[in-house]
Amino acid sequence: MGEYWLRCVSDGSVQPVYSLSCPHDSSLLRADYLARQIQPKSLPGIWRFLDWLPVQGIIAEAEGAPVTYRSLGLARELGLENLYISYSGHWPERGAKMPTCSFKDLEAAPTMQRLKERGDNPTLVVASAGNTARAFAHISLITCQPVVLFVPEKALDRMWTAAPAGGEQSSSAHRDTGPVTLIAVRGDYYDAISIAEKVQSQPGFAPEGGARNIARRDGMGTVMLDAALTLGRIPRHYFQAVGSGTGGIAAWEASLRLRADGRFGSVLSRLHLAQNLPNAPIYYSWKGKEPEPVSNDMFDDVLYNRKPPYGMPGGVKDALLDTGGEVYGITNPQAAAAKKLFEQSEEIDILNAPAIAVAALEQAIAEGSVLPEDTILLNITGGGISRMKEDHTLKMLKPQTTVSHWEQAVSFLESKR
Ligand SMILES: *Cc1c(COP(=O)(O)O)cnc(C)c1O
């Protein structure tokens, strides 16, 4: 299970197993797994794919996994014959049970397990505009491994956690925020990141790592693995809404492993990545266009990342080049219409971000870059919050303090020790 070498993508050199960067250049690191062929295990959730996750053990309570199913409703609307949906969220009728309703749950569980296996038990530090922080809060509550979350004040309304429905919150694990320290940041996502960077370099703390974290990427890569095992082959096309593009890199890496496995075909999935205009740096870079001025009015602000991992070896650009990929720029009205189309035809609510991917699929069909008979995987990266509210009581996590400078955060954390 999960045995691997950690190699720089640029030169293949083997690096110490918990490194986040390469010594000679800006290359990403990648796990090179001992298991050439994947043998699914009878374990819950994504742990089924343990051969290709950078962990030795599992978190049995973290049972969330992507669900791949063949679309009927949306496929009919779009005139597609082989449209498959990978659904990350809460939709019990389909077997989708992601506790925080986005595919960030796929990243949080292996990251936490890997941190535990490191042995020195550091406190994980995460900066997030919402979905990532919610996923790490949940995994921290069920494992009791500590996290410090830096969240901009404006994103605090995304910081809910699900307790079982029906009155008294008797399940104490959800009420007790012991291992979770939520710190509100006056400012935006970038202010949260810069404060987190200072805190994570203090002794006893560890950075989550973002796109450089292989546990995060290989956790997200289970979307592609689940689809390939369901279909019996690598899907021809992969559609996803991206901010950083980390999920795109993950889908590419999973395709590479599946191709090397030999049983799933020899063609990599073509990446179709979608961004929300005008805050779309990956789109402008790929198209070689001059960026439009940034707007505060985004269809989903979780998709804005000012510094995506684009140009370095093993980054988004390499993933697009290697797979013959494409990037789409989607406007707010296009996204709103696509969201409505999806929800009406598939009968489940989705987050705003994945609607951007649905709109990109519509564009690709119109441009003829996908054909009606092609096998297409549409990654619905989050959804089912309305469905979740029917089954659970959502409880808000409250920040323990609000800071404007990193010194305030450090002294607050020292006072808590
Ligand atoms: C984070 C997120 C994305 C974008 O993910 P990348 O890191 O850019 O691959 C898309 N959808 C949802 C719901 C997200 O939370």
Side-chain angles (χ1 to χ4, degrees), residues 101-104 107 131-132 216 220 240-248 300 302-303 351 353-354 381-382:
C101 292
S102 93
F103 82 154
K104 298 299 193 295
E107 314 174 11
N131 296 345
T132 301
R216 181 173 195 164
M220 291 166 123
Q240 192 204 307
V242 297
S244 70
T246 309
D300 198 337
V302 307
L303 293 181
L351 298 186
T381 45

Side-chain angles (χ1 to χ4, degrees), residues 52 224-225 228 234 254-265:
W52 291 353
M224 183 62 76
L225 302 183
I234 302 168
S255 290
L256 288 168
R257 292 183 184 123
L258 289 161
R259 184 173 69 178
D261 178 304
R263 294 171 296 170
F264 301 96

Side-chain angles (χ1 to χ4, degrees), residues 250-328:
W252 170 47
E253 292 175 323
S255 290
L256 288 168
R257 292 183 184 123
L258 289 161
R259 184 173 69 178
D261 178 304
R263 294 171 296 170
F264 301 96
S266 56
V267 182
L268 298 176
S269 220
R270 212 177 138 197
L271 296 188
H272 299 263
L273 306 181
Q275 292 220 287
N276 190 183
L277 295 172
N279 302 355
I282 293 177
Y283 170 76
Y284 295 122
S285 301
W286 179 250
K287 294 286 192 188
K289 286 186 182 169
E290 198 54 42
E292 298 286 324
V294 167
S295 157
N296 288 323
D297 174 29
M298 281 187 83
F299 194 66
D300 198 337
D301 63 7
V302 307
L303 293 181
Y304 185 33
N305 186 309
R306 278 195 253 175
K307 284 190 228 151
Y310 185 74
M312 69 276 279
V316 175
K317 186 179 180 190
D318 278 357
L320 288 164
L321 289 172
D322 197 30
T323 63
E326 186 52 281
V327 185
Y328 304 79

